[in-house]
Amino acid sequence: MSTFRTPRRRARPALAAAITVAAALTGPVSQAASSTSPQAAAGAPSLGAAGLGDPIFPLDGNGGYTVGRYLLDFDWQAPKTPFEATATIKATATQALSRFDLDFAGNTLHTVTVNGKTAAAERDGDELVITPAKPLAQGKDFTVKVTYTADPTQLRHRDDAIEDYGWIPTPDGTVLYPQPNGAKMIFPSNDHPSRRAPITFRITTPPGLTAVANGELTDRTEQADGRVRWTYDSEQPLATQLAQLAIGRFTFVDGTGPHGLPIRDVVPDDLVAPTEQYRKLTADHIAWLEERLGPYPFNRYGVLVGDTDLGVALETQTLSLIPKADLLGDQVSAERNLVHELTHQWTGDSVGIKSWSDLWLSEGHARFYERLYSQAHGGVSFEDTMKTAYANHDQWRHDYGAPAEPTEPNLFKRMRYDGSALVLYALREKVGQETFGKIERAWVTKYRGKIAGTQDYIDLASKVAGEDLDGFLHPWLYGAATPPMPNHPDWVVNPVQS
């Protein structure tokens, strides 16, 4: 997600209250221990954890099972109009389960079955607590089917760069903004960035509307009543926060990137020509990033132009959401946002994060390469932006936490962007540009299609550099004060203002 954006409207105060739902979910995270209880260890059925204990969102994600695939059937009707939906979740029990949870918020629940049999289901805040008719044995594959009425007006609000998230309305449909934990407003899921699975989307639309989602269009079927069913396969596993589903009057603009990579932009009909100048640069952006990070990690890519006043872009996997305003302004600003979200396909999408405290690895890398690219293409000096970030770093530590120590209200504040890019800049100054480049390519290669955390990066950087970098990076990532910048003894940190 990029925080560099064109000016937008003020956030709607009425939405701020929606996020307080999370505050009510302060039940003991000790439930996560159920998977290691004596009963679970002995193989007796026990409760799956209601949350993964993430330090930022403790009740996000669920224990006791892994998801193998989501199959989502959406019978779309019209903008801001509820519609019937079914989520079929194929999973495997990682412990003997008497009960388990799905993250699910804000929709009207109808039925829940496990392996075709009716299961007891109870709503508890953002948790859907499911008790199957028979306990599930450890290692057993099972299928959960949830029918519900989806509400495409569901939105929540954060007082950081995210602002509004969930279902984002457009004049003739919707786009999705699930980050950070808004997928639960779209479909029942294991809603945490460390829990990834492929998704099959089957969306039925009225005549004249198009549906698009992550991955490949595998089928388009016109039905007898004139409605059209669109089927997409994400192809690779993805985190729920990276799911995309958009409906509207779209034109598909096909192109080709490096090595024959399919590029498919999805553009509202009346925005095809106005956005073409910047969209057609994507192939060049991919080639530039491949020189630094290695081969593009997915089977396809494209830009989804959001016909909305949404103020921020999002790196939804293989189909980045870019608000129209970002593509209707000056070229330097447009390219910053395009390169930022594209970089995420390597770092944040392909290499996922273990916990929300690792967000600096995702946003810091995206900001680093965004600014590096911009410097060579008409933007401001990268070194100057890093010097400015250095001057403000102690203040950001005070206000928003160190790069790898965010708090929930400050998760998407400035420290996770320029403040985290500064850590990577400091590392490059420490080890040199050549070694830094080797670290970066090793990072996205070793953890391609996997999740990784802060210590994983420190360990890999140390191995590639041939020196222990733990003592260097820990103060940058966790310390209360900003360390000296290598090679820049003249750089000064401004005093903290309370």
Side-chain angles (χ1 to χ4, degrees):
M1 186 202 79
S2 173
T3 59
F4 182 79
R5 65 248 181 111
T6 52
R8 61 164 289 178
R9 85 288 190 206
R10 292 179 180 270
R12 286 168 281 176
L15 290 172
I19 195 62
T20 60
V21 173
L25 297 175
T26 54
V29 180
S30 60
Q31 292 180 28
S34 65
S35 61
T36 55
S37 66
Q39 294 88 343
S46 57
L47 309 181
L52 297 178
D54 188 283
I56 305 300
F57 300 111
L59 285 179
D60 283 359
N62 304 284
Y65 64 92
T66 58
V67 175
R69 179 173 289 272
Y70 297 98
L71 296 97
L72 306 179
D73 289 276
F74 289 167
D75 191 22
W76 178 267
Q77 299 298 315
K80 301 182 180 180
T81 302
F83 61 90
E84 296 312 300
T86 301
T88 304
I89 303 164
K90 297 183 180 296
T92 302
T94 57
Q95 67 181 69
L97 282 171
S98 60
R99 194 183 77 186
F100 61 92
D101 285 22
L102 291 169
D103 299 307
F104 189 50
N107 296 279
T108 303
L109 180 67
H110 298 317
T111 63
V112 178
T113 63
V114 177
N115 294 332
K117 297 182 179 180
T118 300
E122 179 182 355
R123 305 296 290 270
D124 183 8
D126 284 350
E127 299 292 317
L128 176 59
V129 184
I130 299 171
T131 304
K134 293 183 179 180
L136 302 171
Q138 182 174 359
K140 179 181 175 62
D141 294 337
F142 64 97
T143 300
V144 185
K145 187 173 183 179
V146 181
T147 64
Y148 60 102
T149 299
D151 181 359
T153 67
Q154 285 291 314
L155 278 173
R156 291 185 180 179
H157 183 80
R158 290 182 56 84
D159 291 325
D160 57 15
I162 295 290
E163 298 189 0
D164 300 343
Y165 66 107
W167 296 91
I168 304 298
T170 63
D172 47 25
T174 190
V175 297
L176 296 188
Y177 202 104
Q179 195 179 66
N181 59 350
K184 66 188 69 170
M185 289 185 275
I186 316 300
F187 61 99
S189 59
N190 206 349
D191 193 11
H192 187 269
S194 68
R195 298 298 188 259
R196 310 200 293 185
I199 303 178
T200 299
F201 302 83
R202 295 183 291 229
I203 312 109
T204 305
T205 62
L209 293 183
T210 297
V212 67
N214 310 82
E216 180 184 13
L217 175 63
T218 59
D219 185 64
R220 178 187 180 278
T221 302
E222 293 189 16
Q223 300 181 337
D225 60 358
R227 292 173 64 82
V228 180
R229 190 175 80 164
W230 309 78
T231 303
Y232 288 87
D233 185 344
S234 71
E235 301 179 288
Q236 287 89 16
L238 70 162
T240 49
Q241 61 145 342
L242 302 175
Q244 184 55 262
L245 162 68
I247 296 165
R249 292 182 174 87
F250 294 132
T251 297
F252 288 172
V253 182
D254 293 320
T256 304
H259 323 296
L261 178 75
I263 296 177
R264 177 201 62 189
D265 290 344
V266 182
V267 192
D269 293 344
D270 59 353
L271 291 172
V272 174
T275 62
E276 180 183 9
Q277 178 183 358
Y278 303 148
R279 286 189 295 100
K280 68 182 182 182
L281 300 173
T282 293
D284 293 337
H285 296 159
I286 294 172
W288 186 88
L289 282 165
E290 285 194 333
E291 291 177 1
R292 289 150 181 83
L293 296 174
Y296 176 76
F298 298 111
N299 297 339
R300 64 198 71 251
Y301 185 64
V303 166
L304 168 63
V305 179
D307 188 4
T308 170
D309 60 358
L310 180 71
V312 288
L314 183 62
E315 63 273 17
T316 41
Q317 191 163 299
T318 72
L319 186 64
S320 292
L321 172 62
I322 309 291
K324 63 181 178 181
D326 291 353
L327 299 172
L328 297 175
D330 67 279
Q331 183 164 338
V332 169
S333 300
E335 289 199 86
R336 280 187 58 185
N337 283 312
L338 287 165
V339 171
H340 183 106
E341 305 310 334
L342 178 58
T343 302
H344 272 304
Q345 304 300 313
W346 280 266
T347 63
D349 291 17
S350 177
V351 182
I353 57 175
K354 284 185 176 178
S355 78
W356 282 111
S357 296
D358 301 315
L359 182 63
W360 79 273
L361 281 165
S362 177
E363 296 298 349
H365 273 101
R367 181 54 54 89
F368 181 94
Y369 288 101
E370 161 206 330
R371 289 202 176 275
L372 190 63
Y373 178 92
S374 186
Q375 172 184 256
H377 294 82
V380 299
S381 161
F382 185 32
E383 183 172 309
D384 286 350
T385 61
M386 291 296 95
K387 184 177 182 181
T388 300
Y390 186 81
N392 292 314
H393 223 245
D394 273 3
Q395 187 68 55
W396 293 344
R397 287 172 189 267
H398 175 271
D399 293 342
Y400 310 134
E405 289 187 319
T407 60
E408 190 276 330
N410 299 317
L411 182 58
F412 289 91
K413 294 288 191 177
R414 192 69 176 271
M415 180 57 96
R416 252 51 68 191
Y417 298 90
D418 283 301
S420 298
L422 185 70
V423 177
L424 298 172
Y425 180 85
L427 177 61
R428 192 181 72 167
E429 293 296 292
K430 168 71 172 175
V431 302
Q433 186 167 322
E434 181 178 354
T435 298
F436 178 77
K438 292 178 180 178
I439 291 170
E440 293 291 277
R441 290 176 71 98
W443 175 247
V444 298
T445 300
K446 178 175 181 178
Y447 291 105
R448 177 172 175 157
K450 303 175 183 177
I451 60 168
T454 299
Q455 193 59 49
D456 295 316
Y457 186 82
I458 295 172
D459 292 344
L460 182 140
S462 298
K463 181 178 180 180
V464 173
E467 61 176 306
D468 186 355
L469 292 169
D470 195 274
F472 175 77
L473 284 170
H474 257 85
W476 277 98
L477 291 166
Y478 298 103
T482 305
M485 177 60 72
N487 305 324
H488 295 281
D490 58 316
W491 285 18
V492 177
V493 182
N494 294 333
V496 173
Q497 303 296 316
S498 299

